[in-house]
C-alpha cells in the first residue's frame, strides 16, 4: 500500500513538472514585439509607430482638444484663435493679462490665477493628469522619440528582401529625421528636456535648450549622412511608399529623394535657429545659408491629410483649422488675425466671413476672444486663392514640418535684417502670389516697413501651421507691456459687442513651459540636471 | 486546515507556484463539562469563539504579462503601434490574506415567558490585507509608454460585523422577530510601488482625480476647499489662506461660506486638500417580522447609514449651466441680500472650472424604510379545496428616506467611470475607487410589488 502511494505520488509529481512547460503560453490574439523583427512587422511599425504613436495615441485624450494636430495651445497663445472651453484650462492659457480698450477701460484676465504663467505653474500637477495642458506636446514627442529609438535599435537585425542596405538605410534616416523633429519641438517649447536614445529606459538628466537643439542637430546630421550613402532604386521607393500613409502621398506629399529630404532638414534647421532666439540675436547669416538650401517651390514635404475612416486625422476635427471652421466652431478666429491681412488681400475675403451676429464668449472665461468672424468651410470659391480649411476627406493639406512658404519667409526675414530689404520684399511677394492674395509690396520700402509686411505675411500666410506662438515669442509680443511687449492698435470686441480699434493687449504669457509634473513625479531631476522650471515670469 | 498550490500561465515569468494556506478553529465554551450543570446555561444557551485565517490569490488576466503590439489601420493597410497601456512579463499574483475572530452567543433572557426567549448574538472582527494589487499606473512619458500593469500597491481593510436576532415576543398566535445588523469598516492603501508614492485614478467627481497615497483611506477625495471662516489656517503652511491684509475684503455669507464682498464670488483654496475619511461610521439594519396565527405575516426593515458622504457632481454640472434651483435661493453677503448668480456661478468656476470642491461634498447619512411587506395566506384563513397555500404578498421598497443629502438619492453611486481608468481610454469599469460620487446616477426606485404564492 505504501509503495503504491509512493508510486502514485511520483507519477503525479512527474506529470506536474512536465505540465509546467505547457504553461508557457503566448498570447495567440495579438502580435508580439518579436513580430516587429520581421520585414513586414518593422515596416508596419515604421508607419504607425511614427504617425499613430507619435501624433495620435496617447494615454490621455480629451475630445475638446483632440489629438496632436488638433490641439490649440500654440495658436491660442499666438492669438490666431480664441477658445471659451475650460478643458485643459485652455481658455485661461489664452487670456491676456489685461486689455486696455479705446475708452481706457482696463479689462483684466478673469481667470484665477489671473497671471498665465502662475496658472500654468498651479495646474502643472501630476494629479491633474490629462487636464494639464503642458503634458501633451511632451507626451507625444517622447512617444515619437521612443518609436524612432525602437527602429534604430532593432532594424539591423531584420532580414529584408531585395536591397538590404537601402531598406535599412531608409528606415534609419526616417528614424533620425523624426528624432530630430521631436527634439526640435521639445527644445522650442519646454524649458528643459531629456535626451533618450534607448527605447527601454529613460534617465533623469534634464538638459537645457542649447543641449536639446544640439541633439536635434545631431539627429538631423545623422539623417543627412545616412541619406548621402543611399541610391534611389526600386527598394528605396518601395520602402518609403510603405511608411508614409498612402492617403498622404498626394499633393505635396510623397516619396522624396535624398536631396529633397535634406532640403526639408535645412528648413527645420533654420526654423530651430529662428524660433529660439529673440530677433536681435538671431543668426541671420546661418539662416540665410540654410534657407537658400531649403525647401523649393516644387519640393515634396512632410504632409498630413485626413482619410475617410479618420485613421490618423479626422477630416472635420483633425486639425486646428478644421476645428476653427464654421459658425459654431470650438476654436474662434481671432480679430487680431483678421486685422493682420493687408487691404485687398483676397485670402481674407476667400476664407473669412462675418458671423450672423458677433460671438461674445462668457466674460468670466476670457477677455480677448470675442469675434465677428468665422472661417469658411472650403473657402468662398475665389479662383486661385488659397483655402485655409477644407473639411472634405483628404481635402486639407497640413504641413507637419517645413514648407516652401515658411522657407521663403525665413529667407525674406534674414534678408531684411541683413539690409537686403528689396530682396526680402520680392520673396514676400512670391509667397503672396503663390497663395493668390492679389497683393504685393513695392520695392524701396524702409527696413521697418518691410518688417511690418514680413510679420503680417507670416501671420496670414502661415496661419494654422503652428508657428504663431514662436513668432509672438521671438518678436516680444507675449512679454510685459512695460518692457516693450504687447500689442497696440489692436482690434478687440468687448463684452458689449463694441468694436475697439485702438486697444492695447498685454499678454504676459510664459515663453517656455516647465517640464510637466507627470514626468517629474515618476522621473525626478537627477543631481546636476538643468533647471526644470522657467525662472522668468 | 488546508493548503492549495497553483501553477498558472498567467503568473509571472518562471511560473513559480503560489501557495495558499487556510485554517479555521472554534472553541465552544458551552461544550465544556461544567456548562450544562451551571446556572449560566439557563440564560446563555450557547457560546462559541471562532477564528479563521486564509490566503487567496487573484491571478492576472491571461495575457497581462505579454508585451504585444496592436494593429492600427492607416489608410489601405495596417500599421503596428505600441499600446498606451503596456503588459508586464514580471507580473505576480495579487495575494489577499484575511484573519477573523468572532463569537456567537445564544441567550434565553426571560425564560418561561413569552418575551425574549431566543436571542442570538454574533460578532466578528475581520482584517484583510492585499499585497501586490494589480493596477496600471502611469509611467514617465519620456519612456514612450503610457502605463504599465504592475503589482502596484498594498491595501488593508478591517471591520466589525455584528448581528443580534431575537424572538422578541412569542405566543401561540402571534410572534415578533427582530434582527439587527451592524457593520463598520475602513480600508486604506498601505504601500505603493515606486511612482513617486502616488497613483492617480480618474474619477467622476469634479475634474480632479483620486490620488492614492500610502497610509491614506481609499476613496478619499482631494479637492479645493471653500472656507467657513475668513481666518482659516492652511494645514500645510500654517499661515492663513487669505493674507491678513486682505481678510477685510472677505466675509462669511449667510449660507456659511466665505465670499469676496465686492465680486460676491466664493473663496476656494488654490491647492488641493483631503476632504476626510470617506468611510461611513457604520451601517445598521433593523428587520422586523410579525406573524399572526398562520395566515398573516407583516414585516418591515429600516436601513441606517451614518457618516457617509457623497460628492454631488450632478449638482456641480447643474451649477455650471445655471439650471439648479439653488440659483433662486437668496443669500446675504455683507449686508446685501439677493439670489446672487455671481456666488453660485463662482462655486462652479472659481480656481478651477468643475474642480472637485468641498461645497459639493455632502453628508449622505440616511435612514431608509427599505422594505415593508404584508402577506396574507387565504388558504390558511379559509379552507380552499385543492390549495395548500394561496398567499397574497404586498411589498413596498424604499418607501421613505430621511437624509440631509440634497441630491436625488444618498445611496446612488456613479461607480462606473467612462473616461480613462488605469490609463486605458474608454474602459468602463465598476471601479472600487470611485465610491460616493453622484454623477447623473440613477437613483434607487420606490417600488410596490404584488405577488401571489400558490401551493397545491
Amino acid at each position: 500500500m505504501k509503495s503504491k502511494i509512493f508510486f502514485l505520488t511520483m507519477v503525479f509529481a512527474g506529470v506536474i513538472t512536465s505540465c509546467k512547460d505547457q504553461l508557457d503560453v503566448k498570447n495567440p490574439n495579438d502580435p508580439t514585439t518579436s513580430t516587429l523583427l520581421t520585414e513586414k512587422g518593422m515596416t508596419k511599425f515604421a508607419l504607425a509607430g511614427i504617425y499613430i504613436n507619435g501624433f495620435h495615441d496617447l494615454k490621455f485624450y480629451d475630445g475638446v482638444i483632440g489629438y496632436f494636430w488638433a490641439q490649440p495651445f500654440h495658436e491660442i497663445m499666438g492669438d490666431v484663435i480664441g477658445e471659451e472651453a475650460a478643458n485643459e484650462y485652455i481658455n485661461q492659457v489664452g487670456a491676456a493679462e489685461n486689455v486696455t480698450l479705446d475708452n481706457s477701460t482696463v479689462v483684466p484676465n478673469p481667470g484665477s490665477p489671473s497671471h498665465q504663467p502662475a496658472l500654468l505653474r498651479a495646474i502643472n500637477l501630476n494629479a491633474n493628469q490629462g487636464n494639464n495642458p503642458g503634458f501633451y506636446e511632451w507626451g507625444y514627442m517622447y512617444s515619437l522619440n521612443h518609436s524612432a529609438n525602437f527602429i534604430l535599435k532593432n532594424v539591423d537585425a531584420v532580414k529584408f528582401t531585395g536591397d538590404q542596405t537601402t531598406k535599412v538605410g531608409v528606415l534609419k534616416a526616417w528614424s533620425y529625421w523624426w528624432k530630430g523633429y521631436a527634439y526640435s519641438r521639445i527644445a522650442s517649447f519646454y524649458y528643459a528636456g531629456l535626451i533618450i536614445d534607448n527605447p527601454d529606459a529613460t534617465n533623469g538628466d534634464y538638459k537645457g535648450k542649447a543641449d536639446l537643439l544640439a541633439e536635434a542637430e545631431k539627429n538631423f546630421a545623422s539623417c543627412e549622412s545616412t541619406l548621402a550613402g543611399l541610391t534611389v532604386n526600386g527598394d528605396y521607393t518601395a520602402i518609403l511608399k510603405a511608411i508614409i500613409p498612402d492617403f498622404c502621398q498626394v499633393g505635396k506629399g510623397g516619396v522624396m529623394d535624398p536631396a529633397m529630404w535634406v532640403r526639408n532638414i535645412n528648413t527645420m534647421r533654420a526654423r530651430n535657429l529662428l524660433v529660439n532666439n529673440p530677433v536681435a540675436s538671431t543668426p541671420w547669416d546661418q539662416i540665410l545659408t540654410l534657407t537658400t538650401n531649403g525647401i523649393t517651390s516644387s519640393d515634396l514635404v512632410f504632409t498630413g491629410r485626413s482619410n475617410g475612416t479618420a485613421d490618423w486625422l479626422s477630416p472635420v476635427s483633425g486639425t486646428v483649422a478644421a476645428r476653427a471652421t464654421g459658425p459654431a466652431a470650438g476654436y474662434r478666429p481671432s480679430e487680431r488675425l483678421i486685422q493682420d491681412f493687408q487691404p485687398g488681400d483676397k485670402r481674407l475675403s476667400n476664407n473669412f466671413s462675418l458671423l450672423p451676429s458677433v460671438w461674445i464668449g462668457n466674460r468670466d472665461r476670457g477677455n480677448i476672444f470675442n469675434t465677428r468672424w468665422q472661417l469658411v468651410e472650403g473657402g468662398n470659391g475665389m479662383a486661385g486663392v488659397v483655402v485655409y480649411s477644407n473639411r472634405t476627406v483628404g481635402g486639407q493639406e497640413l504641413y507637419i514640418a517645413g514648407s516652401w512658404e515658411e522657407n521663403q519667409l525665413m529667407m525674406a526675414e534674414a534678408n531684411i535684417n541683413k539690409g537686403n530689404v528689396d530682396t526680402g520684399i520680392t520673396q514676400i511677394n512670391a509667397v503672396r502670389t503663390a497663395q493668390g492674395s492679389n497683393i504685393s509690396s513695392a520695392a524701396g520700402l524702409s527696413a521697418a516697413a518691410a518688417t511690418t509686411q514680413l510679420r503680417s505675411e507670416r501671420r496670414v500666410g502661415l496661419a494654422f501651421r503652428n508657428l504663431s506662438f514662436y513668432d509672438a515669442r521671438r518678436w516680444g509680443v507675449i512679454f510685459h507691456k512695460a518692457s516693450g511687449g504687447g500689442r497696440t492698435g489692436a482690434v478687440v470686441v468687448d463684452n458689449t459687442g463694441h468694436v475697439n480699434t485702438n486697444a492695447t493687449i498685454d499678454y504676459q504669457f510664459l515663453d517656455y513651459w516647465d517640464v510637466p509634473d507627470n514626468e517629474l513625479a515618476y522621473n525626478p531631476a537627477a543631481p546636476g540636471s538643468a533647471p526644470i522650471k522657467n525662472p522668468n515670469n | 486546515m488546508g493548503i492549495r498550490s497553483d501553477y498558472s500561465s498567467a503568473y509571472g515569468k518562471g511560473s513559480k507556484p503560489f501557495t495558499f494556506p487556510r485554517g479555521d478553529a472554534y472553541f465552544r465554551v458551552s461544550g465544556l463539562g461544567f456548562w450544562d450543570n451551571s446556572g449560566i446555561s439557563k440564560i446563555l444557551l450557547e457560546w462559541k469563539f471562532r477564528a479563521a485565517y486564509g490566503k487567496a490569490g487573484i491571478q492576472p488576466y491571461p495575457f497581462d504579462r505579454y508585451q504585444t503590439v496592436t494593429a492600427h489601420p492607416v489608410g489601405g493597410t495596417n500599421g503596428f503601434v505600441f499600446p498606451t497601456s503596456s503588459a508586464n512579463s514580471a507580473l505576480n499574483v495579487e495575494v489577499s490574506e484575511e484573519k477573523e475572530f468572532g463569537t456567537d452567543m445564544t441567550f434565553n433572557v426571560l425564560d418561561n415567558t413569552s418575551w425574549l426567549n431566543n436571542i442570538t448574538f454574533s460578532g466578528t472582527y475581520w482584517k484583510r490585507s492585499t499585497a501586490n494589487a494589480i493596477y496600471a499606473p502611469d509611467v514617465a512619458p519620456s519612456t514612450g509608454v503610457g502605463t504599465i500593469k504592475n503589482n502596484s500597491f498594498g491595501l488593508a481593510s478591517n471591520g466589525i460585523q455584528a448581528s443580534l436576532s431575537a424572538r422578541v415576543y412569542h405566543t401561540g398566535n402571534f410572534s415578533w422577530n427582530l434582527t439587527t445588523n451592524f457593520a463598520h469598516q475602513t480600508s486604506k492603501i498601505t504601500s505603493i510601488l515606486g511612482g513617486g508614492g502616488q497613483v492617480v485614478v480618474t474619477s467622476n467627481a469634479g475634474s480632479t482625480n483620486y490620488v492614492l497615497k500610502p497610509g491614506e483611506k481609499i476613496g478619499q477625495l482631494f479637492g479645493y476647499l471653500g472656507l467657513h471662516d475668513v481666518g482659516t489656517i492652511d494645514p500645510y503652511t500654517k499661515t492663513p489662506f487669505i493674507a491678513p491684509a486682505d481678510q477685510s475684503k472677505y466675509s462669511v455669507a449667510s449660507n456659511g461660506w466665505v465670499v469676496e464682498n465686492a465680486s460676491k464670488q466664493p473663496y476656494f483654496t488654490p491647492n488641493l486638500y483631503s476632504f476626510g475619511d470617506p468611510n461611513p461610521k457604520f451601517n445598521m439594519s433593523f428587520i422586523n417580522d410579525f406573524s399572526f396565527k398562520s395566515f398573516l405575516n407583516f414585516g418591515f426593515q429600516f436601513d441606517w447609514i451614518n457618516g457617509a458622504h457623497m460628492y454631488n457632481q450632478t449638482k456641480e454640472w447643474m451649477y455650471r449651466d445655471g439650471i439648479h434651483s439653488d440659483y433662486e435661493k437668496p443669500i446675504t453677503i455683507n449686508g446685501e441680500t439677493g439670489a446672487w448668480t455671481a456666488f453660485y456661478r463662482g462655486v462652479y468656476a472659481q480656481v478651477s472650472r468643475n474642480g472637485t470642491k468641498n461645497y459639493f461634498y455632502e453628508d449622505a447619512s440616511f435612514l431608509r424604510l427599505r422594505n415593508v411587506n404584508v402577506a396574507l395566506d387565504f388558504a390558511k384563513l379559509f379552507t380552499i379545496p385543492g390549495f395548500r397555500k394561496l398567499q397574497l404578498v404586498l411589498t413596498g421598497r424604499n418607501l421613505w428616506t430621511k437624509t440631509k443629502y440634497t441630491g436625488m438619492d444618498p445611496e446612488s453611486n456613479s461607480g462606473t467611470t467612462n473616461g480613462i481608468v488605469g490609463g486605458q481610454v474608454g474602459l468602463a469599469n465598476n471601479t472600487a475607487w470611485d465610491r460616493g460620487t453622484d454623477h447623473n446616477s440613477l437613483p434607487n426606485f420606490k417600488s410596490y410589488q404584488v405577488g401571489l404564492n400558490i401551493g397545491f
Side-chain angles (χ1 to χ4, degrees):
Chain A
M1 188 58 195
K2 252 195 179 154
S3 57
K4 224 187 202 172
I5 295 173
F6 180 70
F7 175 67
L8 284 171
T9 316
M10 293 317 306
V11 167
F12 221 42
V15 168
I16 290 176
T17 33
S18 68
C19 278
K20 262 175 105 167
D21 301 327
Q22 297 193 324
L23 295 175
D24 196 16
V25 165
K26 299 276 180 268
N27 182 347
N29 299 319
D30 284 325
T32 59
T33 43
S34 56
T35 319
L36 300 182
L37 301 178
T38 60
E39 170 164 8
K40 219 172 182 185
M42 181 56 75
T43 312
K44 285 180 182 296
F45 180 71
L47 168 66
I50 297 296
Y51 284 88
I52 304 297
N53 275 136
F55 300 109
H56 191 271
D57 285 355
L58 202 60
K59 68 183 169 191
F60 301 132
Y61 172 72
D62 184 342
V64 174
I65 58 168
Y67 299 109
F68 184 76
W69 291 107
Q71 295 185 348
F73 310 113
H74 285 254
E75 305 286 31
I76 204 173
M77 291 194 290
D79 205 358
V80 167
I81 57 173
E83 187 177 349
E84 191 188 32
N87 302 54
E88 289 70 48
Y89 301 89
I90 197 63
N91 66 314
Q92 292 182 255
V93 169
E97 185 87 8
N98 59 68
V99 53
T100 310
L101 303 174
D102 289 354
N103 61 6
S104 304
T105 320
V106 177
V107 183
N109 180 340
S112 168
S114 59
H115 184 53
Q116 190 241 39
L119 165 82
L120 291 174
R121 293 265 150 70
I123 60 180
N124 186 12
L125 296 173
N126 187 24
N128 275 333
Q129 299 268 283
N131 264 325
N132 178 6
F135 167 78
Y136 291 95
E137 188 148 355
W138 182 280
Y140 276 116
M141 289 301 101
Y142 279 105
S143 186
L144 178 63
N145 187 47
H146 173 252
S147 294
N149 282 337
F150 183 88
I151 298 173
L152 286 169
K153 180 171 182 194
N154 293 295
V155 70
D156 282 318
V158 179
K159 202 85 189 55
F160 288 94
T161 56
D163 187 346
Q164 174 88 8
T165 323
T166 302
K167 287 189 173 178
V168 169
V170 171
L171 288 174
K172 282 189 171 171
W174 183 247
S175 305
Y176 286 126
W177 157 260
W178 288 114
K179 279 179 67 78
Y181 180 87
Y183 285 117
S184 302
R185 297 268 335 207
I186 296 284
S188 304
F189 195 74
Y190 290 100
Y191 198 71
L194 292 165
I195 295 181
I196 299 173
D197 286 327
N198 183 351
D200 300 321
T202 184
N203 64 68
D205 189 13
Y206 290 84
K207 302 285 189 200
K209 191 176 13 147
D211 287 331
L212 295 168
L213 288 172
E215 185 67 18
E217 175 51 39
K218 182 171 139 235
N219 281 288
F220 283 142
S222 300
C223 180
E224 191 170 4
S225 58
T226 309
L227 287 171
L230 296 180
T231 37
V232 184
N233 52 23
D235 283 330
Y236 174 97
T237 311
I239 192 120
L240 212 43
K241 263 181 117 69
I243 60 182
I244 297 175
D246 52 22
F247 48 85
C248 292
Q249 295 181 34
V250 294
K252 291 241 168 236
V255 174
M256 52 180 81
D257 63 46
M260 212 182 267
W261 197 333
V262 172
R263 289 196 286 276
N264 270 275
I265 291 177
N266 284 331
T267 300
M268 279 301 293
R269 283 168 161 152
R271 181 200 285 190
N272 284 347
L273 288 173
L274 183 79
V275 306
N276 287 300
N277 287 297
V279 172
S281 50
T282 306
W284 297 114
D285 284 323
Q286 273 186 275
I287 291 179
L288 198 51
T289 315
L290 287 165
T291 50
T292 308
N293 295 299
I295 300 172
T296 67
S297 55
S298 56
D299 274 341
L300 297 177
V301 291
F302 290 90
T303 64
R305 289 209 186 237
S306 57
N307 73 335
T309 39
D311 295 334
W312 173 38
L313 299 175
S314 152
V316 298
S317 62
T319 61
V320 175
R323 285 171 176 251
T325 307
Y331 306 159
R332 299 275 175 181
S334 164
E335 288 279 355
R336 268 71 59 199
L337 174 66
I338 304 298
Q339 77 174 104
D340 277 332
F341 283 95
Q342 297 300 318
D345 193 331
K346 282 189 173 174
R347 290 173 295 188
L348 176 58
S349 34
N350 193 35
N351 284 288
F352 294 94
S353 58
L354 288 167
L355 286 162
S357 59
V358 176
W359 178 77
I360 302 191
N362 288 354
R363 70 176 65 192
D364 64 340
R365 289 181 184 240
N367 54 0
I368 55 170
F369 53 17
N370 300 332
T371 184
R372 298 163 289 167
W373 299 93
Q374 57 175 315
L375 180 59
V376 176
E377 159 86 55
N380 279 320
M382 296 167 110
V385 183
V386 78
V387 168
Y388 291 130
S389 173
N390 181 342
R391 304 205 300 175
T392 58
V393 173
Q396 181 82 38
E397 186 157 58
L398 175 70
Y399 295 103
I400 335 181
S403 61
W404 170 73
E405 290 98 332
E406 183 189 354
N407 197 66
Q408 274 292 100
L409 293 175
M410 286 200 282
M411 225 186 328
E413 192 166 359
N415 275 314
I416 293 171
N417 279 284
K418 285 173 60 63
N420 311 327
V421 178
D422 282 347
T423 319
I425 294 284
T426 312
Q427 286 162 340
I428 297 173
N429 288 338
V431 172
R432 287 166 165 174
T433 309
Q435 293 198 342
S437 68
N438 201 38
I439 56 163
S440 67
S441 296
L445 288 179
S446 66
T451 303
T452 309
Q453 292 299 312
L454 179 283
R455 292 189 180 187
S456 154
E457 191 53 35
R458 275 190 75 95
R459 294 265 301 161
V460 311
L462 304 178
F464 306 111
R465 295 191 195 187
N466 275 301
L467 296 168
S468 60
F469 172 61
Y470 297 145
D471 286 346
R473 176 175 66 201
R474 66 193 181 84
W475 293 336
V477 175
I478 61 168
F479 294 123
H480 205 311
K481 187 171 69 173
S483 37
R487 181 172 184 149
T488 53
V491 174
V492 175
V493 178
D494 66 26
N495 288 319
T496 62
H498 174 67
V499 180
N500 296 267
T501 52
N502 195 23
T504 303
I505 305 179
D506 190 4
Y507 296 96
Q508 295 191 37
F509 291 158
L510 192 59
D511 55 354
Y512 286 88
W513 288 23
D514 296 340
V515 175
D517 196 43
N518 187 248
E519 175 73 40
L520 294 169
Y522 305 107
N523 186 17
S529 285
I532 46 167
K533 273 195 159 36
N534 186 343
N536 308 321
N537 295 273
Chain B
M1 289 222 311
I3 64 165
R4 174 192 160 127
S5 202
D6 282 303
Y7 287 89
S8 167
S9 62
Y11 297 171
K13 301 198 260 239
S15 42
K16 285 198 310 292
F18 271 81
T19 303
F20 305 109
R22 61 168 172 77
D24 50 81
Y26 68 86
F27 177 67
R28 267 186 75 220
V29 181
S30 48
L32 291 176
F34 71 88
W35 192 267
D36 286 333
N37 296 326
S38 69
I40 314 175
S41 65
K42 292 277 185 320
I43 299 175
L44 186 54
L45 302 178
E46 176 75 23
W47 190 5
K48 176 164 118 181
F49 285 102
R50 50 185 161 74
Y53 170 79
K55 209 170 183 177
I58 302 176
Q59 57 182 352
Y61 286 108
F63 302 119
D64 271 354
R65 59 177 194 93
Y66 296 101
Q67 300 280 4
T68 58
V69 293
T70 317
H72 192 291
V74 184
T77 181
N78 273 336
F80 286 140
V81 293
F82 285 128
T84 50
S85 183
S86 187
N88 185 351
S89 57
L91 209 53
N92 280 323
V93 167
E94 284 186 13
V95 179
S96 285
E97 181 183 82
E98 179 163 344
K99 301 184 199 27
E100 60 172 60
F101 307 99
T103 181
D104 302 315
M105 299 187 199
T106 309
F107 298 89
N108 187 348
V109 179
L110 296 172
D111 200 16
N112 296 326
T113 69
S114 316
W115 289 92
L116 299 171
N117 274 339
N118 196 328
I119 303 182
T120 310
F121 171 77
S122 177
T124 309
Y125 168 77
W126 57 271
K127 194 172 148 100
R128 185 184 168 127
S129 65
T130 300
N132 290 339
I134 294 175
Y135 189 73
D138 281 335
V139 283
S142 59
T143 58
V145 177
T147 63
I148 293 188
K149 268 210 158 96
N150 216 337
N151 298 107
S152 305
F153 41 70
L155 316 168
S157 48
N158 60 60
I160 297 176
Q161 285 173 343
S163 84
L164 184 68
S165 48
R167 203 154 72 161
V168 181
Y169 184 75
H170 177 75
T171 63
N173 284 334
F174 179 75
S175 71
W176 171 20
N177 293 327
L178 166 66
T179 305
T180 307
N181 294 325
F182 172 91
H184 161 78
Q185 72 150 48
T186 183
S187 28
K188 66 178 185 190
I189 308 278
T190 49
S191 63
I192 294 194
L193 178 76
Q198 56 171 261
V199 170
V200 186
V201 180
T202 308
S203 91
N204 269 321
S207 35
T208 45
N209 305 307
Y210 287 97
V211 177
L212 310 175
K213 293 187 199 165
E216 289 186 349
K217 308 275 175 154
I218 296 174
Q220 189 176 193
L221 278 178
F222 282 77
Y224 302 99
L225 299 181
L227 308 177
H228 297 290
D229 186 280
V230 174
T232 311
I233 308 280
D234 181 338
Y236 294 139
T237 65
K238 308 281 191 264
T239 57
F241 282 115
I242 304 174
D246 292 332
Q247 283 180 15
S248 56
K249 298 189 193 142
Y250 293 83
S251 62
V252 180
S254 58
N255 59 9
W257 295 99
V258 169
V259 294
E260 203 210 351
N261 296 331
S263 62
K264 307 218 168 21
Q265 302 267 356
Y267 175 84
F268 283 100
T269 59
N271 289 317
L272 305 171
Y273 298 85
S274 166
F275 288 170
D277 188 344
N279 294 304
K281 290 208 191 64
F282 59 79
N283 27 321
M284 293 190 73
S285 293
F286 304 92
I287 306 170
N288 291 280
D289 273 310
F290 304 90
S291 60
F292 181 67
K293 300 216 172 138
S294 55
F295 60 81
L296 180 65
N297 282 319
F298 170 66
F300 63 89
Q301 175 179 342
F302 276 102
D303 282 350
W304 179 23
I305 298 190
N306 185 305
H309 290 94
M310 187 81 93
Y311 189 84
N312 198 345
Q313 176 66 48
T314 309
K315 191 175 192 179
E316 186 161 18
W317 283 124
M318 293 177 84
Y319 266 49
R320 177 193 72 165
D321 297 334
I323 56 178
H324 197 276
S325 63
D326 279 359
Y327 271 75
E328 287 168 358
K329 294 206 185 111
I331 51 172
T332 306
I333 297 176
N334 203 28
E336 296 175 281
T337 306
W340 302 111
T341 306
F343 172 80
Y344 294 110
R345 192 63 211 274
V347 171
Y348 159 78
Q350 276 297 307
V351 178
S352 171
R353 286 186 162 70
N354 194 35
T356 309
K357 297 182 179 159
N358 66 343
Y359 181 96
F360 298 106
Y361 190 61
E362 300 184 28
D363 183 353
S365 306
F366 66 88
L367 177 66
R368 172 165 276 176
L369 178 58
R370 176 73 70 196
N371 203 329
V372 179
N373 55 68
V374 178
L376 191 57
D377 190 347
F378 292 103
K380 299 275 186 331
L381 200 52
F382 318 106
T383 319
I384 305 175
F387 286 97
R388 186 173 47 81
K389 180 175 185 173
L390 187 65
Q391 190 185 41
L392 178 70
V393 182
L394 301 171
T395 311
R397 288 189 63 81
N398 300 326
L399 295 184
W400 174 82
T401 308
K402 179 166 150 65
T403 179
K404 286 208 198 87
Y405 181 63
T406 64
M408 286 186 92
D409 182 358
E411 218 177 356
S412 66
N413 187 346
S414 83
T416 309
T417 58
N418 51 14
I420 300 169
V421 174
Q424 301 179 65
V425 175
L427 189 69
N429 206 349
N430 226 340
T431 166
W433 316 112
D434 214 2
R435 313 173 175 186
T437 307
D438 175 359
H439 186 187
N440 301 328
S441 311
L442 225 46
N444 288 296
F445 298 128
K446 251 187 222 185
S447 66
Y448 302 93
Q449 292 158 11
V450 178
L452 197 59
N453 291 331
I454 304 177
F456 299 100

